[in-house]
Amino acid sequence: MAVLLLSKVLLNTLTHVTNKEERKMAIREVKFESQDRRMPQILAALNANGIKSIEEANEICEQYGLDPYKTCEETQPICFENAKWAYVVGAAIALKKGCSNAADAAEAIGLGLQSFCVPGSVADDRKVGIGHGNLAARLLREETKCFAFLAGHESFAAAEGAIKIAAKADKVRKEPLRCILNGLGKDAAMIISRINGFTYCQTEFDYATGEVKVVNKIAYSDGPRAKVNCYGADDVREGVAIMHLEGVDVSITGNSTNPTRFQHPVAGTYKKECIEMGKKYFSVASGGGTGRTLHPDNMAAGPASYGMTDTMGRMHSDAQFAGSSSVPAHVEMMGFLGIGNNPMVGATVAVAVDVATALSK
C-alpha cells in the first residue's frame, strides 16, 4: 500500500511538472510579429545590459516571480505577441539595472520597448518606446497629482489603461495618483463608467461664467476602479473646464471618433491657459499617423501630413507617440508594438511597479 501511494504521489508530481513545463513552453516560445526586422536592435539593447537573449530575459523575470508577458496580455487582451515580449525585455533590463524605484524602472522599461521599434519607422524616429517609459515615470513621481486620458468614450482603450494605473500606481506613491477620463458625451461617460466600475461624474457647465460643477457622482464599484473619475463633456469649453476642475498635470489624447472636434482642441486650449497661469502641464499626443486619413475629421489634411490628428498633436504636445490610442494593428503599422497607446501607459506603469516591488523585498 505504501509503495502504491508513493507511486501515485510520484506520478502526480511528474504529471504536474510536465504539465507545468508544457504550459510554460507553450507560453514562452519566443515568436512574434516582424521578428527578423526587430532582433538586431533588441539583442543590442539586451547585450548592453548584460543579457544574452530574450530567453534569458524571460528567465530573469521568472527568477523574481514576475510575468510581464501576462501583465501586458491582461491589460489589453487583443495585443500582439511583440508587445508581450517587449515588456519581458524591458522588465529584465530594469531588473538587471537594479531599479528599486518604480519611476526609474519605468524609464528602463522604455529602453526595452524602444528596442522593438522597426528601424527607420515613424515610431523609431519619434523614439516612442523611450517616450512611453518617460510618461510612466512621470505618473509614478509625486509631482504628478492628476493624469487624464483625454479620449473618445466609445473606445475602451483609455479604460484599459486606467484600470492598470488604478490597480498599481498607488502601491509605490506616497500620495495617490488621481486618474480621470475626460471625453465627449455624458451618456457615453456613464456607460463606460458602469461597464468598468469607474465613478461617473455628471457635470453642468455655465456658459455665462465659464464655470463647471459636478451635480451628481455615481460609483459603479467599491474597489480601486472607483477611484477613476469619468467625465462626459458637451463640448470643448466644458472639456477644458473639467481639466481645470481636476487640476490635470499630465494627459494623453485619444484619436478615435472625436479627435479634432474634442481631444486635441481641449488639450491645446488647456495648454495655453496653463501657460498663462504659470502651471506646468505635460501634454502627450497618443497617435496620428498613416491609416487615420480616411476618418471624416482627418481627411482635410491629406496623407502628406499623416492626417489632421497628427498635425494637431504637433501643435500642443510635449511628446508625440505613433499610431492609434486603441488599435494594436495601427500602432504596429507605425513600426512599434501591437498594443494601443493608452493601454500601453497602464502596462508600463504596472510592470514598473512590479519590478520595483520585487527588488525592494
Side-chain angles (χ1 to χ4, degrees), residues 17 61 78 87 90 101 110 113 127 131 144 159 172 183 215 218 242 244 265 269 280:
V17 170
C61 292
I78 61 171
Y87 278 101
N101 176 280
L113 302 183
K127 300 293 182 288
T144 300
V172 295
V215 295
I218 305 173
I242 289 168
H244 283 295
T269 305
K280 290 184 179 180

Side-chain angles (χ1 to χ4, degrees), residues 109-163:
I109 289 166
L111 298 175
L113 302 183
Q114 183 63 35
S115 73
F116 272 71
C117 288
V118 174
S121 65
V122 174
D124 187 41
D125 177 61
R126 294 182 184 176
K127 300 293 182 288
V128 177
I130 300 295
H132 265 287
N134 291 341
L135 173 58
R138 279 181 176 270
L139 303 185
L140 292 165
R141 292 194 173 107
E142 296 298 325
E143 54 263 33
T144 300
K145 309 296 182 186
C146 181
F147 174 60
F149 285 99
L150 192 53
H153 279 319
E154 82 298 333
S155 167
F156 279 93
E160 289 168 333
I163 287 166

Side-chain angles (χ1 to χ4, degrees), residues 47-119:
N47 295 166
N49 289 278
I51 304 170
K52 295 179 182 178
S53 64
I54 297 178
E55 287 83 358
E56 185 182 350
N58 190 57
E59 290 173 5
I60 291 170
C61 292
E62 288 184 343
Q63 287 169 12
Y64 284 91
L66 303 184
D67 194 351
Y69 181 103
K70 184 178 179 182
T71 300
C72 179
E73 190 174 58
E74 288 174 345
T75 306
Q76 189 174 40
I78 61 171
C79 69
F80 289 12
E81 287 297 306
N82 55 29
K84 302 170 194 177
W85 285 110
Y87 278 101
V88 171
V89 168
I93 290 173
L95 289 165
K96 199 75 172 179
K97 284 178 173 288
C99 298
S100 57
N101 176 280
D104 294 339
E107 291 175 347
I109 289 166
L111 298 175
L113 302 183
Q114 183 63 35
S115 73
F116 272 71
C117 288
V118 174

